[in-house]
């Protein structure tokens, strides 16, 4: 028995993985030379490696490397019993629980054993993911990144498969990266798409997605729940050729389509029968409705004849009206000739009147034009007057300006005289350097005093800073003193002592609560308390170590913010942060309080803790406080038995804490109980105040207070010195100001004396300028007088022109009055003549109106006739010759009144007949069309059904015999396996008209006096179903097309007897040691296994087999060809996992036992 799985789970050296890779790939020089004709085996990346490493020389570390290399070269280069596609080697790095591990499975049965949690099922996960299939086929994590070991960024899976003869063993490598949740695949170290990896696996008939071939631990329940229909399909996928699957699919599709056509055929026959019955019942109604339709048709023709009759009548009226119009126009012309002389005199008088009106209008326009000219002349006169006034104003301004110049000349004479007198006086004496030296001396003294003040100010700042620091120390000391005397303070001191990082984090959170979306709560040891002290030991027993110090956040953003601050900014280590998105209402108890008391419990642990709801919800989520019962009395054996089968998973009593662990996949009876002792509380306890710490803290506060008093005295002394310096500086500044004012006054006086000659020259220049200006004033006044005379002359000329225009305006008014009088006379004469000819005009107007009315009537008849003619033409366009002839005959013999009478007569006949359903004829005719179409379609359906029956028979004749033979072989193997444990079994095919209802039917018998019964969850126990399931899977072993099969913990839930029998059968089948025995039992299976090119394997051996189990019974059967892969892991493993040699340990033990004998 070999044992060669030695993983390292807690690597302490980053170079371990590389070292392990090199060790597993190398071989000793002796081994390589002895096998020089064979190719080198491949390393993890599919490359040949020839590096060497010296072997260890003692203990269990001395043989494993050479043994590994020997097996590896043989399995990788020759068949050695390995089927193409079998797994030769699996190597993992940073995958789930493993830091580094390497598996070397055998070609037949491989038993993977080890305690729970060591990583047996991890091998199953590696096979699935390494060959390209996803996590959904494992039933564990949803994301592939979750398979990367905690604390690592990527994981590596390498799987070496047995190649086909004369071909290189392919090495599949998968690198899983946590960032981005992505997987990278390589085939023989060449980057490849995931599809290529899966295609390569499928080329070896590997079916990871078939539970009959690959059954992970978390898929056991799913396999047990598989329906017989699903089991048939999975069985075909596992052992039948692809053509049988295609035939089954084709039969399902053909039957579905046939069923659809049959349903359509039945529906169409029923529809045809209904339609024909309705046709027979409506025939009488249709005849009556057709007669009614004939009347309606006649009415429609009469309606069409109406416009034709009206057109003929209108055309006759139009001809008659044209004759009347001609006669009326002749009569009008005759009357006009008779009255023409009288009308000519009236027209002449009317012309004279119109001429007078034009003359009056022209005279009025002349008055308006002359009036505008008079206004223009008047404005010119006014403008000249305004300009004369402006010149007069300029003369006044010149006179006033000359007076101001005279006054300025007098003032300048006086100023010049005064300046000359000042120039005759002696200037004052003034020494500028003396004043400057005195001012600089004062400035030096001010700087010296200010420098001393700056030094004192700096000393005062230092003392102020020291005082603030001492006050802060005193405040913290007093606060710490208060905390020592309060419960909250004692809890904080306890937290600070046990976990300084958490205490520091809590101080920061309290000062920055405003930066979070919702309140962030501190550790439960600060936020919560036990309501009744007598329950404190029981409550603390239900909580873990991090439960007391965990922070509680209520949003994902707050979680990120706090994580960034504590881990990345503060770099704190011992911190626990938990997110609670729900409320306390999301954690209801599993049973009511009445049921809880019946179980002997007083209440829930949650009832005895007080604190914020969010913190309590966090504790419920992490420690199930809402599902943990509590009682001060110990649990009796009777209560313990009842509680084991109750919905309560945990409860705590005065002495013990009980936890029930259930495995759902193995039934309700599969559970284990964990009992731990209740220890004394250490967190929520009331402890006396530490008097020594209190005394030391008080001494520090007193020392800091004395230092504060000394600092205040020093600050007061510096303040007094600064005040004296400030007063001295103020005195010096005042003396400096007085000196500067005296200097400026004397300097100004000296400068003024020196500027007197310049000022005298400036004033004399101004005096000359003003004298010149007075000389030019007289010239400007003379020019203004000349301009005023010119404007007065122009004004006189404009006044004369205005007088001439006013005279013309008076004449225009007189002529206008004369023209208006003549117009009045013309109007009077015209009215007299018009009165005499009014009777003649009235006759003309009467005759003219008659002519106009006849013309209008003629035009209306013409328009009406044209419309009717267009309507008749439109009617004729859509009619046949017979209908047009009939309408012409009606119009020739009927007047509109006759036509109306005929229409009313037909309507009366129509009213006497029952109207009925207006669409009955249309329905009758449409229904007849549907009947004809249905008859045609039914003929086509009959042909299609015949084709479906023929096609189904062809496919079924190929598929059914092959399926029966296959299931018969499975049944024979299954019955033989069951017989070996004194039971009976049979496998058959349940056949149905619907091919998607065909199923595998397993019948078993576990007791002698009972018949074979169908295997289901109601008749057999969990262990019996497990035995039946494993025997069925074993029955597929010799027929399977897959190069390997995996079953994870299928023996869980079996009793020892069944497990021992099942194990013996599995060993026999997997190693091929029961081949002759089985063939002698059933010689029929010795027939030729080749059919249509499909060659099945014999019952002996079959494909590679992996059995994963956490436990084994003692004394189990062992056969040559088996390989036991024992998982060895833990913190005491050597860094180089390849150094562990279990085979060497076994051989050493055998030698010692031989020596002892």
């Amino acid at each position: 028995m070999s044992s060669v799985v030695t993983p390292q789970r807690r690597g302490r050296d980053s170079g371990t993985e590389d070292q392990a890779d090199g060790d597993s790939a190398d071989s000793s020089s002796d081994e390589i030379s002895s096998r020089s004709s064979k190719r080198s085996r491949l390393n993890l990346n599919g490359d040949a490696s020839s590096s060497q490493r010296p072997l260890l020389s003692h203990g269990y570390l001395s043989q494993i490397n050479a043994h590994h290399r020997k097996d590896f070269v043989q399995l990788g280069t020759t068949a050695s019993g390995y089927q193409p596609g079998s797994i030769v080697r699996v190597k993992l790095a940073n995958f789930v629980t493993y830091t580094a591990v390497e598996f070397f499975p055998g070609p037949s049965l491989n038993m993977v054993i080890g305690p729970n949690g060591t990583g047996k099922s991890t091998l199953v996960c590696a096979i699935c993911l390494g060959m390209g299939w996803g996590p959904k086929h494992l039933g564990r994590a949803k994301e592939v990144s979750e398979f990367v070991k905690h604390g690592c960024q990527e994981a590596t899976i390498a799987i070496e498969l047995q190649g086909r003869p004369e071909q290189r063993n392919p090495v599949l490598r998968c690198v899983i990266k946590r960032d981005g949740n992505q997987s990278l695949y390589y085939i023989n170290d060449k980057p490849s798409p995931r599809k290529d990896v899966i295609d390569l696996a499928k080329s070896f008939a590997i079916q990871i997605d078939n539970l009959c071939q690959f059954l992970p631990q978390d898929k056991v329940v799913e396999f047990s729940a598989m329906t017989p229909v699903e089991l048939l399909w999975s069985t075909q996928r596992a052992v039948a050729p692809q053509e049988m699957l295609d035939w089954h699919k084709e039969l399902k599709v053909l039957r579905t389509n046939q069923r659809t056509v049959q349903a359509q055929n039945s529906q169409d026959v029923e529809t045809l029968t209904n339609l024909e019955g309705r046709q027979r019942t409506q025939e009488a109604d249709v005849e009556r409705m057709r007669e009614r339709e004939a009347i309606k048709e006649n009415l429609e023709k009469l309606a069409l004849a109406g416009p034709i009759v009206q057109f003929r009548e209108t055309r006759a009226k139009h001809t008659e009206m044209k004759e009347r119009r001609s006669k009326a126009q002749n009569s009008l012309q005759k009357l006009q000739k008779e009255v023409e002389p009288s009308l000519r005199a009236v027209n002449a008088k009317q012309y004279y009147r119109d001429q007078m009106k034009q003359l009056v209008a022209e005279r009025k326009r002349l008055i308006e034009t002359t009036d505008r000219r008079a206004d223009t002349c008047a404005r010119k006169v006014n403008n000249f007057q305004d300009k004369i006034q402006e010149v007069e104003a300029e003369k006044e301004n010149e006179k006033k300006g000359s007076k101001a110049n005279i006054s300025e000349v007098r003032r300048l004479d006086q100023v010049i005289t005064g300046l000359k007198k000042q120039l005759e006086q002696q200037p004052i004496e003034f020494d500028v350097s003396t004043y400057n030296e005195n001012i600089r001396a004062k400035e030096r003294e001010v700087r010296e005093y200010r420098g001393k003040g700056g030094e004192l100010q700096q000393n005062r700042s230092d003392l102020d800073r020291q005082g603030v620091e001492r006050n802060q120390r005193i405040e913290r000391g007093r606060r710490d003193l208060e905390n020592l005397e309060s419960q909250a303070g004692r809890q904080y001191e306890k937290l600070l002592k046990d976990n300084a990082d958490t205490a520091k984090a809590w101080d920061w959170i309290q000062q920055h609560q405003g930066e979070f979306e919702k309140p962030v709560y501190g550790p439960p040891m600060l936020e919560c308390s036990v309501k009744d002290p007598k329950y404190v030991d029981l409550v603390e027993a239900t909580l873990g170590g991090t439960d007391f110090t965990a922070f509680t956040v209520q949003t994902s953003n707050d979680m990120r913010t706090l994580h960034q601050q504590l881990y990345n900014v503060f770099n704190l280590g011992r911190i626990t942060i938990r997110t609670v998105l729900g409320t306390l209402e999301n954690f209801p108890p599993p049973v009511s309080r009445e049921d809880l008391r019946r179980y002997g419990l007083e209440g829930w642990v949650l009832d005895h803790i007080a604190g914020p709801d969010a913190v309590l919800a966090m504790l419920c989520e992490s420690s199930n406080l809402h599902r943990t019962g509590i009682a001060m009395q110990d649990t009796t054996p009777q209560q313990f038995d009842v509680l084991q089968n109750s919905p309560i998973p945990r409860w705590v009593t005065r002495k013990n804490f009980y936890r029930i662990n259930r495995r759902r996949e193995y039934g309700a009876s599969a559970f284990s109980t964990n009992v731990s002792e209740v220890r004394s509380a250490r967190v929520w306890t009331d402890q006396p105040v530490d008097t020594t710490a209190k005394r030391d803290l008080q001494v520090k506060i007193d020392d800091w207070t004395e230092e504060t008093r000394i600092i205040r005295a020093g600050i007061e002394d510096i303040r007094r010195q600064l005040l004296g310096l400030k007063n001295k500086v103020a005195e010096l500044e005042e003396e400096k100001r007085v000196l500067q004012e005296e200097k400026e006054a004397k300097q100004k006086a000296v400068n003024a004396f020196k500027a007197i000659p310049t000022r005298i020259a400036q004033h004399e220049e101004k005096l000359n300028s003003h004298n010149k200006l007075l000389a030019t004033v007289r010239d400007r006044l003379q020019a203004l007088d000349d301009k005023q005379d010119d404007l007065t002359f122009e004004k006189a000329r404009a006044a004369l022109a205005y007088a001439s225009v006013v005279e013309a305006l008076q004449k225009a008014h007189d002529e206008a009055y004369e023209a208006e009088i003549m117009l009045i006379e013309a109007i009077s004469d015209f009215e007299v003549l018009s009165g005499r000819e009014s009777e003649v005009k009235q006759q003309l107007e009467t005759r003219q109106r008659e002519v106009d009315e006849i013309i209008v009537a003629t035009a209306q008849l013409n328009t009406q006739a044209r419309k009717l003619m267009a309507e008749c033409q439109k009617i004729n366009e859509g009619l046949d010759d017979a209908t047009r002839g009939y309408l012409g005959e009606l119009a020739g013999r009927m007047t509109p009144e006759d036509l109306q009478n005929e229409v009313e007569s037909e309507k009366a006949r129509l009213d006497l007949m029952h109207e009925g359903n207006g669409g009955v004829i249309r329905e009758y005719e449409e229904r007849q069309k549907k009947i004809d179409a249905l008859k045609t379609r039914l003929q086509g359906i009959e042909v299609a059904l015949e084709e479906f029956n023929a096609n189904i028979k062809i496919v079924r004749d190929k598929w059914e015999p092959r399926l029966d033979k296959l299931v018969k072989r499975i049944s024979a193997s299954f019955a033989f396996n069951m017989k070996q444990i004194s039971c009976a079994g049979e496998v058959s095919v349940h056949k149905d008209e619907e091919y998607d209802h065909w199923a595998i039917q397993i019948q078993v018998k576990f007791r002698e006096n009972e018949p074979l019964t169908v295997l289901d969850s109601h008749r057999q126990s969990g262990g019996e179903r497990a035995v039946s399931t494993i025997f069925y899977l074993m029955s597929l072993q010799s027929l399977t097309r897959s190069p390997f099969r995996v079953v994870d913990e299928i023996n869980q839930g079996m009793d020892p007897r069944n497990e021992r029998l099942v194990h013996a059968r599995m060993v026999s089948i997997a190693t091929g040691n029961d081949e002759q025995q089985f063939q002698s039992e059933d010689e029929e299976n010795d027939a030729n296994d080749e059919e249509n090119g499909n060659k099945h394997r014999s019952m002996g051996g079959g494909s590679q087999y992996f059995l994963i189990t956490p436990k084994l019974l003692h004394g189990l059967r062992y056969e040559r060809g088996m390989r036991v892969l024992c998982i060895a892991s833990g913190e005491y493993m050597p860094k180089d996992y390849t150094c562990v040699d279990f085979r060497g340990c076994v051989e050493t033990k055998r030698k010692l036992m031989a020596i002892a004998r």
Side-chain angles (χ1 to χ4, degrees), residues 202-221:
K202 288 182 176 180
S203 69
F204 288 106
I206 297 173
Q207 301 176 5
I208 299 297
D209 55 346
N210 188 349
L211 295 181
C212 288
Q213 297 295 334
F214 191 85
L215 187 59
Q217 175 183 350
D218 295 285
K219 291 287 186 175
V220 172
V221 175

Side-chain angles (χ1 to χ4, degrees), residues 595-614:
D595 295 338
L596 188 68
R597 285 192 287 271
R598 283 198 294 270
Y599 289 128
L601 300 176
E602 300 174 7
W604 304 104
V605 173
L606 181 62
D607 301 334
H608 296 276
I609 299 181
D613 287 350

Side-chain angles (χ1 to χ4, degrees), residues 252-290:
K252 290 179 181 179
V253 174
L254 288 173
R255 178 55 186 156
T256 300
N257 295 336
Q258 182 189 43
R259 194 167 53 248
T260 303
V261 174
Q262 287 175 343
Q264 184 64 44
N265 183 54
S266 300
Q267 182 179 356
D268 288 349
V269 169
E270 183 180 357
T271 303
L272 179 60
T273 303
N274 293 334
L275 291 176
E276 289 177 343
R278 293 175 62 185
Q279 287 292 85
R280 289 191 295 270
T281 58
Q282 286 188 344
E283 287 179 354
D285 293 336
V286 169
E287 290 298 327
R288 184 172 62 254
M289 292 305 299
R290 284 177 175 171

Side-chain angles (χ1 to χ4, degrees), residues 947-958:
E947 292 178 356
F948 276 122
N949 292 331
N951 292 335
I952 289 174
K953 185 178 185 304
I954 292 172
V955 178
R956 181 169 179 171
D957 289 344
K958 291 188 295 184

